Amino acid sequence: MPSVAIFGAGPSGCYVAQALAKARPDADITIFDALPVPYGLVRYGVAADHQGTKGVIRQFERLFERQGIGFQGHVTLGRDVTLDAVRAAYDAVVLATGLSRDRRLGIPGEDLVGVHGSGAVTRAWNGFPGAEAPRMGRRVVVIGNGNVAIDLVRLLAKGASELHGSDILIEPGAGVQDITIVGRSPAEVAKFDPVMLKELARLEGCAITVSDLTGEGKVIEALDSLHGHAPAGSTKRLCFRFGLVPDRILGTERVEGVAFADGTVIAADTVLTAIGFDGEPGWSASDDGLLAPGLYAAGWVRRGPRGTIPENRTDAQAIAARIAADLPEGPGKPGLVMPGATDYAGWQRIDAAERAAAPEGRVRAKITDHARMLTLARQTGER
Amino acid sequence: MQIAVLYGTETGNAEMLAEDIADHLSDHVVTVTNLADFAPSEFDPRTLYLIVTSTYGDGELPASAQPFGAAMAAGAPDLTGIQFAVFGLGDSEYPETFNFGGKRLEEMMVAAGATLLGERVTHDASGDDMADDLAYPWAEAVVALAEPALA
């Protein structure tokens, strides 16, 4: 049977596998991931208090549990195995490893203590192995006007009781009093989903004001109705500002504030940037994901670091259709069994341990220690 | 009984559930069709329609159901004699628009003259239930309701 290796067990890699398994039931598909745990950004990017969104995992579990798709964890392409070796062993190779580097503002002061990128913060709050959650100061400025910025703001604004049902163990906004979210563009062109803004109207201990509101549309309506949200006994304040272009981050060692091009200065103890991700995928793919014969790119590697889970699903289906057409019939290349790789049963042991350790009001306690993950993944015996 | 499961989806959750429902009803003749590939002119009074749909964005239909929704609105089809039921997938994290997708499709079908069997059931992605555990009893109950006319 023809063999397929997919690198990256995030949503794009899993959706490629799902569509490919449907189109080519004869294919032997293995998904590799650098971690012993699958699901990538569903586990480490989707906010901890959006468990419903993480529900797509139930589709992906089926790939491994019923559809015969293999999982080899703890395998890093380029470190544990070369791309050439993988291509020699598989009829098709899909790169779906994502892009995770935070885009930089490119202004002075960006490297001061207390300035953090949204990707690093989100990974830490989501329990990514080795990612340490930065301490938040009393006054936090969030720079960015997309849904990632809203995720940060919402988690900062929530009190411990509002994190019920999530899988976050810390309280990210402990000690935070003032949150300012700033966009360089006018409110009218902010990239917020209105539904994400409306969710903020349910914050129980945070008063909201919206300044610089101009124009019209669904985002403006949603922002307008947030203005004046003031639950009794609020201990936090959230302010939306627009049309402010960051000029430099102030401070000597630690951040002290943000100066904007129009002369506005906002005092801050912590600055979070949420202006997107970048990184060099190192390849340039055609629209259907083809990089070279038998080599494909999917997800953010192909389309750049943007787009929601549904958009990347549509994309993954198109790439799977291309691969299905290219795959040979009959016997194919033999595939690889990586020494030291962990398997799906190993992830199930980690999953069970995380669920069993969940404290009251949380759905799981993620294991954040890579070595402990490996130990659990490699345990054999009872299953 | 001839049963058609129609689904509207964005992430694939409703598609998977539609396929599971079809497997569960395997004593009948069941087809599974994406609403993106289904036109209102295809409704057949000898078939029971089970509609499975999610909700997206600000209470809108999921992408794969949008062409169908537009065709229903534009074509004003007469669906008298068509029997259907709706199972919605929602997320109570968004209470203002919880399961609006299912609600919208139900309203369109009823407005066109179709007969709703049973009550619309909604699975909550932020709740503890598995969608299948709610959907199987729902599907069985709807099939029983349709039996007098369609068996």
Side-chain angles (χ1 to χ4, degrees):
Chain A
M1 59 182 83
S3 57
V4 180
I6 298 170
F7 279 83
S12 288
C14 287
Y15 278 129
V16 169
Q18 183 186 56
L20 195 54
K22 224 173 207 179
R24 289 296 298 265
D26 61 320
D28 184 13
I29 304 168
T30 300
I31 305 183
F32 293 85
D33 202 280
L35 291 176
V37 301
Y39 313 135
L41 280 183
V42 179
R43 183 174 155 96
Y44 291 118
V46 171
D49 60 343
H50 280 176
Q51 291 294 317
T53 306
K54 292 181 194 265
V56 291
I57 283 176
R58 295 206 186 89
Q59 290 181 59
F60 304 153
E61 286 171 344
R62 198 165 287 199
L63 298 172
F64 305 111
E65 292 173 14
R66 293 197 208 165
Q67 294 177 264
I69 287 168
F71 177 70
Q72 294 193 45
H74 190 54
V75 177
T76 298
L77 186 63
R79 183 193 71 188
D80 300 316
V81 62
T82 65
L83 183 57
D84 284 346
V86 175
R87 291 183 72 192
Y90 288 90
D91 296 294
V93 177
V94 183
L95 305 174
T97 45
L99 293 172
S100 60
R101 202 169 69 193
D102 283 302
R103 182 174 296 150
R104 289 173 61 86
L105 283 165
I107 59 173
E110 199 164 3
D111 295 312
L112 287 169
V113 176
V115 182
H116 310 278
S118 64
V121 172
T122 301
R123 278 192 292 279
W125 289 354
N126 266 318
F128 191 89
E132 204 160 316
R135 212 184 62 78
M136 295 292 136
R138 193 168 55 80
R139 301 161 302 176
V140 182
V141 170
V142 177
I143 300 174
N145 264 188
N147 292 332
V148 173
I150 295 292
D151 277 340
L152 296 177
V153 161
R154 187 185 65 254
L155 285 163
L156 287 173
K158 281 188 173 182
S161 65
E162 294 173 274
L163 297 167
H164 191 92
S166 73
D167 62 6
I168 192 166
L169 298 187
I170 59 165
E171 183 189 336
V176 172
Q177 285 178 9
D178 278 292
I179 308 161
T180 309
I181 174 168
V182 185
R184 61 163 52 222
S185 303
E188 207 169 14
V189 295
K191 292 189 176 73
F192 307 131
D193 268 340
V195 68
M196 297 273 291
L197 292 172
K198 287 183 183 175
E199 197 182 346
L200 299 178
R202 298 207 307 285
L203 289 172
E204 292 168 5
C206 182
I208 304 177
T209 54
V210 182
S211 302
D212 318 313
L213 213 49
T214 53
E216 51 190 39
K218 281 196 157 186
V219 168
I220 299 294
E221 284 167 27
L223 284 166
D224 196 36
S225 62
L226 278 180
H227 179 70
H229 174 76
S234 290
T235 55
K236 298 180 185 183
R237 286 187 300 264
L238 166 62
C239 179
F240 281 85
R241 299 290 309 266
F242 297 95
L244 290 177
V245 179
D247 182 56
R248 73 208 130 89
I249 297 180
L250 307 172
T252 45
E253 264 175 52
R254 286 199 58 87
V255 55
E256 289 165 19
V258 184
F260 297 88
D262 69 350
T264 303
V265 171
I266 302 177
D269 309 300
T270 303
V271 172
L272 306 181
T273 62
I275 56 167
F277 305 97
D278 63 10
E280 279 300 315
W283 301 282
S284 94
S286 60
D287 278 350
D288 52 6
L290 186 70
L291 297 166
L295 184 64
Y296 307 83
W300 285 6
V301 173
R302 188 193 78 69
R303 61 203 308 275
R306 66 193 162 273
T308 56
I309 289 173
E311 286 166 46
N312 282 286
R313 171 176 177 263
T314 305
D315 208 56
Q317 289 175 335
I319 288 153
R322 168 77 204 230
I323 299 168
D326 290 351
L327 270 187
E329 302 287 339
K333 296 181 186 173
L336 282 174
V337 178
M338 289 297 300
T342 60
D343 60 7
Y344 186 75
W347 151 242
Q348 288 178 306
R349 281 189 291 275
I350 295 171
D351 187 30
E354 289 184 341
R355 289 176 193 273
E360 177 71 28
R362 299 291 179 270
V363 294
R364 70 168 67 229
K366 282 184 184 166
I367 294 169
T368 59
D369 179 51
H370 196 248
R372 174 129 188 272
M373 271 187 182
L374 274 180
T375 305
L376 272 167
R378 287 175 174 155
Q379 258 170 26
T380 47
E382 95 277 46
R383 265 240 38 224
Chain B
M1 192 185 303
Q2 176 73 43
I3 300 171
V5 185
L6 305 177
Y7 66 85
T9 194
E10 287 215 2
T11 65
N13 290 342
E15 179 177 0
M16 181 170 80
L17 181 60
E19 287 169 355
D20 287 353
I21 291 168
D23 287 345
H24 187 72
L25 299 176
S26 57
D27 292 348
H28 301 270
V29 181
V30 192
T31 59
V32 179
T33 307
N34 189 338
L35 275 168
D37 305 318
F38 188 87
S41 59
E42 294 175 58
F43 279 113
D44 168 6
R46 290 161 300 179
T47 300
L48 168 64
Y49 291 92
L50 302 180
I51 299 176
V52 181
T53 186
S54 57
T55 302
Y56 272 90
D58 200 10
E60 286 124 36
L61 292 178
S64 99
Q66 285 189 5
F68 175 82
M72 286 288 286
D78 178 8
L79 300 184
T80 307
I82 302 297
Q83 305 206 54
F84 79 102
V86 177
F87 190 95
L89 293 170
D91 188 343
S92 60
E93 282 287 332
Y94 307 99
E96 297 89 353
T97 55
F98 182 56
N99 190 32
F100 269 33
K103 186 162 171 275
R104 272 169 214 250
L105 286 179
E106 178 185 311
E107 286 167 358
M108 282 179 192
M109 294 291 291
V110 168
T115 304
L116 175 70
L117 297 180
E119 278 189 33
R120 174 163 45 87
V121 173
T122 302
H123 174 257
D124 177 10
S126 291
D128 293 330
D129 293 315
M130 298 294 282
D132 286 352
D133 294 341
L134 297 181
Y136 294 166
W138 163 83
E140 286 163 17
V142 171
V143 168
L145 287 170
E147 222 118 51
L150 294 176

